[in-house]
Amino acid sequence: MKQTGRCCTSVLRSRLGRHDADELATAFKAVADPGRLRLLSFIAAQPSAEACVCNLVAPLGLSQPTVSHHLKVLTDAGLLARERRGTWMFYRLVPERVEALRQALALPASKTSTRRSA
Amino acid sequence: MKQTGRCCTSVLRSRLGRHDADELATAFKAVADPGRLRLLSFIAAQPSAEACVCNLVAPLGLSQPTVSHHLKVLTDAGLLARERRGTWMFYRLVPERVEALRQALALPASKTSTRRSA
């Protein structure tokens, strides 16, 4: 999900073209990792939905390079924004981006219940 | 996302544990592929949100073994259900499962807008 401002086409409300499918798959790949999901969850749970990178290693039991890699993937996907404050980098959840990804899985109103017979 | 009936813990409304993160990452992996997204989209666009496997190869420009593999991943993830009718297998969208995955990305009410300053 490059930050083009057009993410995310709904998968289920219209026929997804090849380009949109590529873009959306990249966005879902960003959240398709347990370490990245736990990082997102940890940051979202902070009072201002942001955290210093210095506080992100110990709670998750991941190595510093692994955390750095995951933060880069999430930032590249637009799900986190970062800001330097003095020595440290702070990471903040980007709710609009999360919501856009969530909306990509929105069902059409006519298909919100399961059809079990034809 | 095994079909345990408990998927999906919200990533952003509570601190995600290791087990839930593993389970959810598996579910997102199922949709983190452009071919699988286009298959889901194609099936969802059918009048009854279901399609015969015999109609799924040509429209997407993927090989039959690739389509079969993707259908298996989506079925294992619970996002599609299958049913044999005579010679052919039919695949149907499972809206409840899609909705559960979507809800895993739901934001807490207090974090629905971006904080830009502390």
Side-chain angles (χ1 to χ4, degrees), chain B residues 4 8-9 22 25 32-35 46 56 65 68 76 85 88 100 117:
Chain B
T4 56
C8 300
T9 305
D22 287 347
D33 177 278
Q46 304 312 300
L56 289 173
S68 292
D76 286 350
R85 295 188 202 151
W88 297 108
S117 56

Side-chain angles (χ1 to χ4, degrees), chain B residues 78-116:
Chain B
L79 297 164
L80 293 179
R82 66 181 163 196
E83 187 186 340
R84 182 175 292 282
R85 295 188 202 151
T87 314
W88 297 108
M89 200 69 89
F90 283 72
Y91 288 84
R92 172 177 55 77
L93 190 71
V94 181
E96 297 84 350
R97 206 72 177 170
V98 176
E99 182 60 20
L101 191 52
R102 193 171 85 90
Q103 285 305 320
L105 291 174
L107 292 159
S110 60
K111 282 156 193 162
T112 49
S113 66
T114 309
R115 254 184 90 90
R116 300 209 177 268

Side-chain angles (χ1 to χ4, degrees), chain A residues 37-52:
Chain A
L37 285 171
R38 292 178 66 221
L39 266 173
L40 273 184
S41 182
F42 182 86
I43 294 171
Q46 304 310 302
S48 54
E50 70 172 15
C52 173

Side-chain angles (χ1 to χ4, degrees), chain B residues 30-87:
Chain B
V31 293
D33 177 278
R36 290 199 285 276
L37 285 171
R38 292 179 65 221
L39 267 173
L40 272 185
S41 181
F42 181 86
I43 293 171
Q46 304 312 300
S48 54
E50 70 173 15
C52 174
V53 67
C54 54
N55 293 327
L56 289 173
V57 175
L60 299 175
L62 299 171
S63 70
Q64 190 274 325
T66 300
V67 168
S68 292
H69 167 72
H70 287 332
L71 288 171
K72 182 181 185 319
V73 173
L74 290 168
T75 305
D76 286 350
L79 297 164
L80 293 179
R82 66 181 163 196
E83 187 186 340
R84 182 175 292 282
R85 295 188 202 151
T87 314

Side-chain angles (χ1 to χ4, degrees), chain A residues 10-14 103-113, chain B residues 41 44-46 49 93 95 98-99 102:
Chain A
S10 170
V11 179
L12 305 170
R13 289 185 171 166
S14 58
Q103 286 305 320
L105 291 175
L107 292 159
S110 61
K111 283 159 193 161
T112 49
S113 67
Chain B
S41 181
Q46 304 312 300
L93 190 71
V98 176
E99 182 60 20
R102 193 171 85 90

